[in-house]
Amino acid sequence: MRILLLDKNHPLITEQLTAKKFILEEDFTSSYDEVCRKIENYDGVIIRSRIPLDKNFLEKAKNLKFIARVGAGMENIDIPVAEKLGIQLINSPEGNRDSVAEHVVGMLLVLMNRLFIASQEVKNGIWLREENRGDELLGKTVGLIGYGNMGKATAKRLSGFGCKVVFYDILPGLSDEFAEQVSLEELKERAEVISLHIPLTEQTHYIVNGAFIDGMKHNFYFVNTARGKNVETKSLVGALKSGKVKGACLDVLEYEKPSFENLEIENEDLKYLLESEKTIVTPHIAGWTVQSKEKLAQVIVDKIVAGFA
């Protein structure tokens, strides 16, 4: 089988698949149109986010048997078309779930204890104690929306901080020792922290909007390590200004490019998020650790070998 690699990943992908007699070719620079012109020559493609695999692309990929996404999200693939064409879809959320979970906890600790702010103040000769009084995770009810690989790993860590973790998911029967499944309405009634762990779909686009925020019983902290467009930014900014959202930890932004490599829109809402003391903003790196790079690649290799070797 001939496999085209469209993004740089851990070298173990090439090493291990080559050892299994797959033929791998790398192309990290060609444009969408250039790749479309040659994709019919390949049986498989391994991607991250550089090129969208839309209907036009997939219909030109006449011999494609699988698409392997090194990561969790599949929104840059036209899934209905791929399934109609009999193309198997592979992803690797198992590979970066631990990285995401640690990032969630890390951002919350930094935000709620004003660690970055206090550190910068001391470095600038400012010594304030009462103004930097923190807020503990212990005893808080955390509401997770989505309870797949990322949600479960996050719940496991938060339970160690003495949090009560509840979650909402469209699939039933997912409660475990770390979290209790509840309805979305009950989650909004109980949660003091909300963290998103969902894909981007028509149903989850702007799932956190003005109505969602207004429906929360408590003022709350908000975390998003899922997808930027899960959140209506203008509503989040309004809630931060009013105090309904006490603080926000954002690893993803509505204004990211589809490749996640940078921002494509700048406006007053983004300016507020970047300047506010109520926010922690990171550049889509929650799943981006030394360990996750290798684990993501290994999961992909194992699934390709299991299905096609």
Side-chain angles (χ1 to χ4, degrees):
M1 295 184 71
R2 296 184 68 193
I3 301 174
L4 180 63
L5 285 76
L6 290 175
D7 296 272
K8 292 182 180 179
N9 286 293
H10 196 284
L12 74 79
I13 291 179
T14 300
E15 294 166 3
Q16 294 187 19
L17 290 180
T18 299
K20 292 289 185 180
K21 308 304 180 183
F22 291 92
I23 299 169
L24 273 69
E25 298 179 25
E26 298 177 347
D27 186 345
F28 305 145
T29 58
S30 289
S31 68
Y32 169 87
D33 289 335
E34 290 169 334
V35 176
C36 281
R37 284 195 288 269
K38 67 178 183 178
I39 192 59
E40 66 179 349
N41 299 318
Y42 298 94
D43 303 290
V45 61
I46 299 176
I47 63 167
R48 284 209 318 260
S49 306
R50 185 172 71 87
I51 288 180
L53 276 57
D54 56 13
K55 183 175 186 289
N56 174 65
F57 182 102
L58 295 172
E59 289 179 344
K60 293 181 184 301
K62 300 185 184 300
N63 296 301
L64 206 60
K65 297 176 179 62
F66 73 84
I67 298 166
R69 163 74 159 88
V70 183
M74 306 286 273
E75 69 273 6
N76 61 329
I77 303 168
D78 191 325
I79 294 175
V81 172
E83 292 176 342
K84 182 180 178 181
L85 294 172
I87 300 170
Q88 184 172 332
L89 301 177
I90 301 168
N91 66 344
S92 53
E94 306 93 334
N96 62 352
R97 59 190 173 193
D98 298 312
S99 173
V100 169
E102 291 190 13
H103 199 88
V104 170
V105 174
M107 285 198 298
L108 280 171
L109 293 174
V110 168
L111 179 74
M112 294 170 65
N113 293 283
R114 297 177 58 86
L115 298 181
F116 181 75
I117 295 167
S119 176
Q120 288 299 110
E121 287 176 349
V122 173
K123 289 179 178 181
N124 289 310
I126 302 168
W127 189 274
L128 298 175
R129 298 184 68 220
E130 186 57 38
E131 293 84 350
N132 285 309
R133 189 179 289 275
D135 192 7
E136 296 179 6
L137 274 171
L138 177 67
K140 285 188 170 51
T141 298
V142 179
L144 308 180
I145 299 181
Y147 205 62
N149 282 280
M150 314 303 176
K152 290 175 182 176
T154 301
K156 183 177 181 179
R157 281 147 182 87
L158 287 170
S159 66
F161 281 84
C163 296
K164 172 64 177 177
V165 184
V166 297
F167 69 90
Y168 168 74
D169 196 284
I170 59 174
L171 298 177
L174 299 179
S175 293
D176 58 24
E177 61 186 303
F178 302 113
E180 173 192 359
Q181 187 164 10
V182 298
S183 68
L184 186 58
E185 289 308 308
E186 183 175 347
L187 182 144
K188 290 161 72 175
E189 178 78 13
R190 295 170 60 182
E192 299 161 276
V193 180
I194 292 286
S195 185
L196 300 188
H197 301 278
I198 48 178
L200 179 61
T201 66
E202 290 184 7
Q203 291 71 36
T204 64
H205 183 261
Y206 283 175
I207 189 172
V208 175
N209 54 20
F212 179 99
I213 293 169
D214 290 343
M216 291 289 296
K217 178 179 179 180
H218 304 287
N219 294 348
F220 65 100
Y221 294 100
F222 178 70
V223 187
N224 189 12
T225 55
R227 289 292 183 262
K229 289 183 173 61
N230 292 139
V231 180
E232 186 179 46
T233 306
K234 65 180 180 180
S235 295
L236 175 62
V237 168
L240 284 163
K241 290 178 178 178
S242 72
K244 181 67 177 182
V245 174
K246 299 164 72 173
C249 303
L250 306 172
D251 182 56
V252 292
L253 294 166
E254 181 181 355
Y255 312 119
E256 288 179 73
K257 291 182 177 180
S259 65
F260 310 136
E261 292 302 316
N262 212 323
L263 298 173
E264 62 179 356
I265 297 173
E266 295 184 15
N267 58 26
E268 288 303 309
D269 289 331
L270 175 62
K271 186 171 185 285
Y272 176 86
L273 293 178
L274 298 181
E275 294 179 355
S276 175
E277 287 192 350
K278 292 184 174 183
T279 60
I280 299 291
V281 185
T282 52
H284 205 128
I285 57 168
W288 213 251
T289 61
V290 173
Q291 292 80 8
S292 71
K293 183 176 182 180
E294 180 172 352
K295 287 189 284 187
L296 284 166
Q298 191 63 64
V299 170
I300 286 294
V301 168
D302 292 345
K303 289 183 178 181
I304 291 173
V305 170
F308 299 96

